[in-house]
Amino acid sequence: MANPVLENQIKKIQDRFGASIAKIEYDRAGCPILWAKKDDAIEFLKFLKAAAGLDFIFLADLTAYDELGSEEEALSRFVVVYNLYSPEHGTRARVKVRLRLDEPMPTAVGVWSGANWAEREVFDLFGIRFAGHPDLRRILLDIRWEGHPLRKDYYWRKSQIFTDAEPIPEHLLKDESR
Amino acid sequence: MKTDATHYGGHQDESDEIYEDSKVYMNIGPSHPATHGTLRVMVRLSGETIEKSISEMGYLHRGKEKIGENVTYHKFRPHTDRMNYCSSLANNVAYDMAIERVMGLEVPERTRYIRTICVEISRIIDHLICVGINAVDLGAFSFFLYGFHQREEAYTLIEMLCGARLTTTYTRVGGLGWEPPPEFLPALIKWLDGFEPVVAEMDKLLTDNKIWVDRTKGVGAFTREEALAYSFTGPCARASNVNIDLRRDQPDPLLKYGELDFEVPLGKNGDVYDRYLVRMEELRQSARMLRQLAAKCPDEGPIWVDDKRVVIPPKDRVYNSMEAMIHHFKFFMEGFDVPPGEAYTCIEGPNGELGFYVISKGGPMAWRMRVRAPSFWMYQGLDPMIKGEKIADLVASLGSINVIAGELDR
């Protein structure tokens, strides 16, 4: 890690949130991976977004991966990944949260409005539920689809064919609340 | 026929109930001339005004990320062409850079120049499509044809590199698929000589055109805060005055943007007109960058990294030596091993931040192949963008955010 700005930022994070970060690693590109605990993950993301000197205001990506069958499977089934970017300082950071099967993750829609669809996609493809999400529906697949394709126990060539069109969720157009 | 007084003025008839609140529910797409791909927007209209809309997607979902976990790294490359098919070269470059980053490979200088040229050519193609089609939707057909002619010429340049026009599969992990022909750089300069006057002409056709300005100014406006909250990147973010450009802010050492002299155009209002202006300026800046790159790019030199794991053995050796034949066979049948590790690699693609998040746990296939597609995040912004606007403005807004269905659904 040669970037002094990033070093300062890591120090700041450790001072304030050291207790709730399980581990800090670095990936192949030198980007820090901050392993956060599920319960204060959203607080942590808010801190990263708002704290002076950090300014990770930009959610570059929100995704997940399945650990089934890997060496880390004993630690958790899923890992939810937040890729953050700080345009002001030109640094990137990655927050990871471990989840058991059927364990809901608190939603980040309150922090970034754009997390809405990304969380829907993770729900659709992994079956991870996001607690407090305003509209957790499938996004890519048909609403009648069974299973979650990006799970490792889903055979990659298993297709499901629907001969009629996906029903229109007309009630959503009438609903003013979301 | 009824002849009582209520027939003409009154509202006693029960069939008149539909006028009580004149809401119309309308479905646009997934197969509609204005959606340019399989997008679907369902809207609730009051008269012509959109009160609420719901965008649906997934009609072109092919499970690319799942495929990425089940085929070797080499075999996944053609799939990247089919994500943003308007700029497949940029996808190829980003994908191979991501694998190289996980493996820790450093490609030779010449390859970096050629890859940067590839990204800029595909940016020009993508922007020409976007502004052209946006204009067609609003009735400006000749503007579109001016751009499309140049786009076809650019595809001819790409054909010189790899023999294909649309689905290129040009780059390789650690190198390039083919040596660029010696006439490529002169042809690039020749094309730029023809392209730059056409951009000026297109500019004259449309930028001050009253109909175009009336149809686009103030339409689909997105503020800076909204653009940041919805993770807008690329020209759409810059039109909303978000000063992000990865070419300038994070010049990747595997590409050559750090050496180039260029300006990043910014808009003020974030409306369709500003997005158009930003794209037009980026066309000129890309042409400027291509001239610098063509001047700096060495004519000779290696294009492959010096690493036996990833280099594809040359055909003359494959056909004449047993070892090379075995190497060839193992490379294509089994693939090469990528050591465990992960990296998120992003480039400033034509639409915005195009990222590949690759996790390897060893072996010839990725554990997770995540594609961060800029279209996905911008299509999400469509619903708040068109709320309260007219139905015709939906077409303008949808065209201006340049959603490519292949990249959106993956």
Side-chain angles (χ1 to χ4, degrees):
Chain A
M1 187 176 61
N3 188 344
V5 182
L6 190 59
E7 244 168 283
N8 268 335
Q9 287 180 326
I10 298 291
K11 202 166 163 291
K12 229 169 233 166
I13 294 167
Q14 273 170 329
D15 287 349
R16 171 72 177 74
F17 261 89
S20 54
I21 305 172
K23 193 167 57 165
I24 297 184
E25 292 174 333
Y26 291 90
D27 78 353
R28 295 263 169 180
C31 173
I33 303 169
L34 313 159
W35 288 92
K37 289 173 187 156
K38 192 198 93 182
D39 295 330
D40 46 10
I42 298 303
E43 280 305 305
F44 182 50
L45 289 173
K46 276 184 187 159
F47 166 73
L48 289 177
K49 186 186 174 191
L54 299 178
D55 303 304
F56 287 101
I57 55 171
F58 192 80
L59 178 69
D61 194 17
L62 194 165
T63 183
Y65 59 92
D66 189 354
E67 295 274 31
L68 184 71
S70 79
E71 285 170 8
E72 284 84 16
E73 192 193 337
L75 296 172
S76 74
R77 173 68 194 267
F78 295 112
V79 179
V80 178
V81 187
Y82 300 83
N83 265 312
L84 308 179
Y85 177 45
S86 165
E88 200 182 326
H89 307 286
T91 50
R92 286 183 184 268
R94 195 170 304 144
V95 177
K96 288 191 178 183
V97 181
R98 288 198 179 278
L99 287 180
R100 292 190 308 274
L101 187 65
D102 294 331
E103 188 181 18
M105 175 73 204
T107 178
V109 174
V111 192
W112 293 280
S113 323
N116 188 325
W117 278 22
E119 288 182 351
R120 277 177 66 191
E121 192 190 331
V122 172
F123 163 70
D124 190 358
L125 302 177
F126 288 94
I128 298 173
R129 300 204 148 265
F130 287 87
H133 190 284
D135 182 21
L136 199 62
R137 286 181 293 134
R138 282 190 185 272
I139 186 165
L140 290 169
L141 304 177
D142 195 290
I143 52 171
R144 292 161 290 183
W145 195 275
E146 282 169 20
H148 300 284
L150 277 180
R151 287 187 177 184
K152 288 283 174 188
D153 51 6
Y154 191 100
Y155 177 55
W156 69 298
R157 289 205 161 151
K158 183 181 168 196
S159 58
Q160 297 177 31
I161 294 163
F162 304 104
T163 49
D164 48 343
E166 185 174 342
I168 301 168
E170 243 180 68
H171 63 283
L172 290 173
L173 283 171
K174 293 175 180 154
D175 186 357
E176 290 300 334
S177 63
R178 45 191 171 184
Chain B
M1 189 181 164
K2 284 192 277 183
T3 50
D4 59 339
T6 57
H7 180 62
Y8 290 106
H11 291 281
Q12 306 299 316
D13 200 337
E14 59 180 6
S15 65
D16 282 347
E17 268 176 24
I18 52 164
Y19 300 115
E20 279 299 302
D21 65 333
S22 58
K23 306 282 187 258
V24 176
Y25 297 89
M26 198 166 82
N27 177 59
I28 301 164
S31 179
H32 185 276
T35 57
H36 304 296
T38 49
L39 313 170
R40 183 186 192 183
V41 187
M42 285 164 287
V43 289
R44 188 179 78 203
L45 298 171
S46 169
E48 255 192 286
T49 309
I50 297 168
E51 286 192 337
K52 191 173 164 87
S53 66
I54 295 175
S55 308
E56 280 285 323
M57 53 186 270
Y59 295 93
L60 208 60
H61 179 60
R62 296 146 294 175
K64 291 291 182 209
E65 294 179 4
K66 185 76 176 176
I67 293 171
E69 295 171 11
N70 287 285
V71 297
T72 60
Y73 290 101
H74 183 73
K75 287 178 185 166
F76 186 62
R77 189 171 306 102
H79 290 283
T80 64
D81 296 335
R82 287 146 180 86
M83 284 174 197
N84 187 344
Y85 35 73
C86 294
S87 53
S88 28
L89 275 174
N91 291 6
N92 295 160
V93 171
Y95 172 72
D96 282 313
M97 276 168 61
I99 311 297
E100 280 157 14
R101 184 125 309 147
V102 178
M103 296 184 82
L105 300 176
E106 303 257 320
V107 290
E109 286 288 294
R110 183 155 172 246
T111 306
R112 296 180 197 193
Y113 278 111
I114 294 164
R115 285 184 180 183
T116 317
I117 290 174
C118 288
V119 176
E120 286 311 312
I121 292 179
S122 49
R123 188 184 319 278
I124 286 179
I125 291 172
D126 205 296
H127 282 7
L128 282 176
I129 289 202
C130 179
V131 291
I133 282 180
N134 203 355
V136 167
D137 286 346
L138 304 184
F141 195 66
S142 47
F143 175 84
F144 162 78
L145 288 179
Y146 277 67
F148 247 57
H149 177 83
Q150 290 305 314
R151 182 173 161 270
E152 286 302 315
E153 299 290 324
Y155 274 134
T156 307
L157 283 177
I158 294 175
E159 199 179 346
M160 288 170 80
L161 287 176
C162 57
R165 293 173 79 86
L166 193 67
T167 48
T168 51
T169 320
Y170 179 49
T171 59
R172 297 286 182 271
V173 175
L176 299 168
W178 295 272
E179 181 89 23
E183 63 272 20
F184 173 68
L185 289 176
L188 176 65
I189 296 290
K190 192 162 169 259
W191 172 68
L192 284 172
D193 290 340
F195 170 73
E196 282 166 336
V198 172
V199 175
E201 241 175 327
M202 288 166 75
D203 195 49
K204 275 186 204 155
L205 259 177
L206 212 56
T207 305
D208 294 327
N209 182 317
K210 188 163 182 346
I211 302 169
W212 171 254
V213 174
D214 284 352
R215 285 294 308 272
T216 54
K217 229 174 193 166
V219 171
F222 232 42
T223 63
R224 185 175 187 277
E225 285 66 36
E226 283 174 314
L228 278 171
Y230 281 93
S231 294
F232 271 37
T233 46
C236 294
R238 292 192 279 277
S240 299
N241 207 7
V242 178
N243 199 352
I244 296 180
D245 189 324
L246 298 176
R247 291 173 293 175
R248 180 199 57 198
D249 303 338
Q250 293 199 311
D252 200 301
L254 291 177
L255 293 175
K256 281 290 172 192
Y257 289 115
E259 295 178 7
L260 301 181
D261 185 23
F262 62 99
E263 279 152 33
V264 178
L266 285 181
K268 276 196 199 112
N269 310 315
D271 52 10
V272 176
Y273 189 64
D274 276 9
R275 286 181 206 128
Y276 158 77
L277 287 182
V278 166
R279 284 206 169 87
M280 288 301 279
E281 184 55 33
E282 284 192 11
L283 284 176
R284 294 186 203 105
Q285 295 295 334
S286 289
R288 191 175 153 197
M289 274 185 251
L290 280 173
R291 281 194 188 278
Q292 299 173 36
L293 286 164
K296 285 183 176 181
C297 179
D299 287 329
E300 279 175 13
I303 54 170
W304 280 95
V305 70
D306 189 16
D307 192 318
K308 281 262 163 25
R309 287 178 299 171
V310 295
V311 177
I312 299 170
K315 282 282 185 293
D316 56 335
R317 283 190 49 232
V318 170
Y319 295 139
N320 294 309
S321 98
M322 189 182 72
E323 291 77 11
M325 172 63 109
I326 293 169
H327 184 182
H328 175 94
F329 184 78
K330 284 181 89 73
F331 184 94
F332 287 103
M333 297 310 287
E334 290 174 7
F336 52 86
D337 275 10
V338 172
E342 64 171 68
Y344 175 74
T345 311
C346 53
I347 65 165
E348 180 75 30
N351 267 343
E353 181 177 322
L354 172 67
F356 280 85
Y357 177 45
V358 182
I359 301 177
S360 165
K361 298 208 183 224
M365 292 186 271
W367 185 263
R368 178 84 171 96
M369 177 68 70
R370 163 73 180 167
V371 187
R372 192 269 186 212
S375 292
F376 183 86
W377 301 79
M378 285 186 299
Y379 192 43
Q380 186 179 5
L382 184 69
D383 289 338
M385 200 183 279
I386 60 177
K387 193 168 185 176
E389 305 210 333
K390 301 280 184 261
I391 188 83
D393 297 339
L394 182 153
V395 176
S397 298
L398 186 58
S400 73
I401 54 176
N402 196 19
V403 176
I404 310 285
E407 179 183 66
L408 176 73
D409 297 343
R410 296 181 300 279

